[in-house]
Amino acid sequence: MTTSDTPNEPVPTADTAAAPVPVTRLERLAGKLGSRASATAVYGEPVTSGGVTVVPVAEISYGFAGSAGGEAGAAGTGEGGGGGGFSARPRGFIEIKDGTTTYKSLRAPWVDVVVPLAALLAGAAVPRLVRRLAARRSR
């Protein structure tokens, strides 16, 4: 292809792979948001008290999406759009005490309910299951 179908569109060249890729607005935004999405930004700085240092640990994720829009006058509005965001969840903390470093995980609150409930149900169901299996074998 040596000419463009429409006069306002640039003609692609074979040499475009060697040219530096410009940084888009979305990439700049991702860089800025990514640099701010850290455990210290979400949960604060490490705390030292009484010879013990506590460093918060967080799981941080972010994502972006964008659109160039449709053609003007067609179903699309001819305008682009986009959005993004990040989320952070506490995962635990690192405790530094007497030259020893220890990671301590934060447990999900539902574990405190589900584990005892599962143990209660298992304790009620296992004896019945054993009785049924014993009754089948005796037949």
Side-chain angles (χ1 to χ4, degrees), residues 97-116:
K97 182 178 178 181
D98 299 328
T100 303
T101 304
T102 308
Y103 173 75
K104 298 190 178 183
S105 178
L106 297 177
R107 212 170 47 180
W110 60 269
V111 173
D112 293 335
V113 175
V114 172
V115 171

Side-chain angles (χ1 to χ4, degrees), residues 34-69:
S35 67
R36 292 183 181 160
S38 65
T40 56
V42 177
Y43 299 103
E45 294 291 327
V47 177
T48 303
S49 178
V52 178
T53 302
V54 176
V55 182
V57 176
E59 175 185 346
I60 299 172
S61 59
Y62 63 95
F64 296 94
S67 168

